[in-house]
Amino acid sequence: MDKIIIEGGTPLTGEVTLSGSKNAALPILSACVLTGGWHTLHNIPALRDIWTIKKILSNLGVVFEEDGQTLRVNSDNLKSHVAPYQLVRTMRASILVLGPLLSRLGKAKISLPGGCAIGARPIDFHLKGLSAMGVDISLEHGYVVARADKLRGAAIFFDIPSVTGTENLMMAAVKAEGKTTLNNAAKEPEVVDLANMLNHMGAQIEGAGTDTITITGVKELRPVTYSIIPDRIEAGTFLVAAAITKGNVRIKGCRVDDLEAIVEKLVDSGVKIEKQAQDLIAQGNDSIKSVDIKTMPFPGFPTDMQAQFMALMSIADGWSMIRETIFENRFMHVSELRRMGADIEINAGQALVRGKSNLSGAQVMATDLRASACLVLAGLAAKGRTEISRVYHLDRGYHDLDGKLSLLGPKIWREQY
Ligand code: UD1
């Protein structure tokens, strides 16, 4: 296994280019199951979750041709409708093949994702929506077994907006008979990216990016050439990296509108952020002001940036209240940050962070994807040496974060242990 080692205290300077969005690429790759022919997808990030979805799709009979960040995908010869436990257990988003398989083959058997480190994360909304569309669903030996002779449009209401739930139902609905309405749908940019890709395929989807998405079923879809949006969580992570090290970093190729909530909080904390065309330039301030955050569905502050922001707040002036409203157990980075000297108290879904003037390097362990990014950021700012083990969590969702950071000046490298 790899660990990341950081000698902290160097302000980051220079420029960095973002990779494609993991959370957009996962549903878009799954959507290639909807119709045969060669799809060409640009800006696919090279990271572990993409490898996992490719593995799941290969298992179904999908074939790939890879050329750097471009992936050609063909699902002409599907030979299976099963996503097995060994693959699904490593990535909950594997459930994204359920909708496309039902649309294409009328059947799917997907392992239940099981427990997850950051909370219960059920899939009941996915299943309830599909059953309203005429899918017969049973749970057998740890698998969701779903069958439908014909998918029909339905009016579906989400109790809470669910990102992959919205995506799964959108994909199930594109060729269903009649109209499907998704109410209280997720508005995340990744949902919009998928809808745009599906519309290029010939789907009729309206309202993506709003609370209500309407999908009118079509008879035929065609393969597409499509480019994935840049990763807004990677962008946010580099913005915090500039802030926490009091550096100056140009982040190239951002979609600034997707980053409003993050940028606003960073500006409140004293970071100077300038927009130049598609780039954001972040200049950290010597003194970091404490600000409160509350995670919310888009356009609110993303839960996927909560851990990274907490690292910043742990060296801010004053107290910060961080409320997590999306995933109940997403504070596992707290005990590791405390090992680096952070003063954080957790009470009923909120963390009270009392900013300290310094963090100190320590041996820490990554517990989930965004928690690993939080520890890398803390290590960049800390005095002395930080060693982060179990960084396979980081590799699930970032394309070479440590490599990209090392080009901005700090001493950061990997070793095997
Ligand atoms: C997606 C993102 C993840 C992000 C999260 C919230 C992908 C691949 N992953 O995860 O990075 O942190 O959105 O922005 O895009 N819920 C239910 N029942 C369901 C589905 C969800 O109760 O059937 C609840 C969840 O427990 C959570 C909330 O709804 O409290 C939102 O979760 P959801 O948006 O579904 O998260 P994911 O799609 O799994």
Side-chain angles (χ1 to χ4, degrees):
M1 271 196 283
D2 283 359
K3 63 181 173 185
I4 288 180
I5 301 164
I6 307 170
E7 300 282 358
T10 308
L12 300 193
T13 48
E15 43 181 63
V16 64
T17 301
L18 297 176
S19 297
S21 160
K22 166 181 90 73
N23 285 355
L26 291 172
I28 285 175
L29 277 162
S30 306
C32 294
V33 166
L34 286 165
T35 188
W38 282 100
H39 302 265
T40 303
L41 302 176
H42 299 298
N43 208 22
I44 297 284
L47 42 85
R48 186 105 193 140
D49 277 6
I50 296 297
W51 181 86
T52 304
I53 198 81
K54 279 171 65 186
K55 199 98 200 249
I56 286 171
L57 294 171
S58 300
N59 219 47
L60 301 174
V62 176
V63 291
F64 299 95
E65 284 177 3
E66 202 167 335
D67 180 10
Q69 289 161 24
T70 295
L71 202 55
R72 294 194 1 103
V73 188
N74 185 302
S75 66
D76 279 342
N77 298 309
L78 291 183
K79 59 180 191 321
S80 166
H81 63 288
V82 182
Y85 175 68
Q86 297 88 305
L87 294 171
V88 174
R89 77 188 170 92
T90 65
M91 185 184 72
R92 296 183 45 82
S94 314
I95 195 70
L96 284 166
V97 295
L98 177 57
L101 277 173
L102 280 167
S103 172
R104 178 86 178 270
L105 302 176
K107 58 183 180 178
K109 183 175 167 187
I110 318 285
S111 170
L112 277 167
C116 172
I118 65 168
R121 302 185 85 173
I123 54 162
D124 51 326
F125 301 160
H126 304 234
L127 303 186
K128 201 174 129 215
L130 289 171
S131 69
M133 295 174 72
V135 180
D136 180 37
I137 293 170
S138 56
L139 299 181
E140 296 171 16
H141 310 293
Y143 279 76
V144 176
V145 180
R147 280 187 177 274
D149 292 336
K150 191 186 263 183
L151 287 161
R152 49 169 198 272
I156 294 158
F157 180 84
F158 286 95
D159 292 345
I160 310 169
S162 161
V163 175
T164 49
T166 302
E167 293 164 347
N168 230 341
L169 297 184
M170 215 156 67
M171 292 188 281
V174 281
K175 284 179 73 184
E177 192 179 272
K179 193 177 267 193
T180 300
T181 318
L182 304 179
N183 299 297
N184 200 23
K187 296 184 284 213
E188 269 66 5
E190 296 77 18
V191 172
V192 179
D193 208 30
L194 172 66
N196 289 339
M197 182 264 193
L198 293 170
N199 282 341
H200 274 76
M201 284 172 86
Q204 283 186 26
I205 302 174
E206 284 171 21
T210 74
D211 288 329
T212 307
I213 301 178
T214 309
I215 305 120
T216 308
V218 296
K219 292 249 177 312
E220 292 293 328
L221 295 170
R222 53 183 178 269
V224 284
T225 295
Y226 195 78
S227 190
I228 312 289
I229 56 172
D231 197 305
R232 66 192 166 103
I233 304 302
E234 188 192 21
T237 304
F238 279 106
L239 287 171
V240 174
I244 205 167
T245 62
K246 297 154 188 181
N248 189 326
V249 179
R250 176 186 281 264
I251 299 153
K252 296 175 74 174
C254 301
R255 282 174 25 125
V256 179
D257 290 350
D258 297 350
L259 289 161
E260 265 177 17
I262 301 167
V263 166
E264 195 172 311
K265 287 294 173 186
L266 286 171
V267 169
D268 288 350
S269 75
V271 183
K272 246 174 79 185
I273 299 185
E274 192 188 326
K275 183 187 162 193
Q276 280 183 9
Q278 306 299 310
D279 300 353
L280 282 177
I281 302 156
Q283 189 175 350
N285 196 318
D286 272 348
S287 106
I288 299 165
K289 288 187 216 141
S290 60
V291 287
D292 297 341
I293 61 162
K294 180 179 178 186
T295 61
M296 295 289 281
F298 191 83
F301 192 93
T303 174
D304 285 351
M305 279 300 300
Q306 179 257 108
Q308 299 90 316
F309 205 81
M310 191 183 291
L312 179 66
M313 288 301 101
S314 63
I315 55 162
D317 299 332
W319 296 21
S320 161
M321 184 66 84
I322 296 187
R323 271 182 285 174
E324 174 57 58
T325 73
I326 310 290
F327 296 119
E328 69 271 24
N329 194 22
R330 204 169 203 178
F331 281 134
M332 284 183 307
H333 42 284
V334 168
S335 51
E336 301 301 301
L337 279 178
R338 281 190 193 130
R339 303 194 70 250
M340 299 178 71
D343 183 350
I344 306 169
E345 213 174 284
I346 299 179
N347 194 355
Q350 44 194 36
L352 175 65
V353 187
R354 296 185 192 87
K356 305 268 288 267
S357 51
N358 283 306
L359 294 175
S360 59
Q363 286 180 311
V364 288
M365 193 190 286
T367 49
D368 66 61
L369 165 54
R370 305 304 169 186
S372 348
C374 151
L375 297 176
V376 169
L377 294 170
L380 291 173
K383 279 195 186 317
R385 180 183 172 110
T386 296
E387 285 192 21
I388 307 166
S389 55
R390 299 203 179 170
V391 292
Y392 55 85
H393 289 292
L394 187 78
D395 298 334
R396 280 192 48 203
Y398 286 91
H399 169 49
D400 193 21
L401 182 66
D402 40 311
K404 288 186 180 185
L405 284 168
S406 71
L407 297 176
L408 300 172
K411 288 194 196 119
I412 173 168
W413 69 96
R414 276 182 191 233
E415 284 178 11
Q416 292 205 322
Y417 68 105

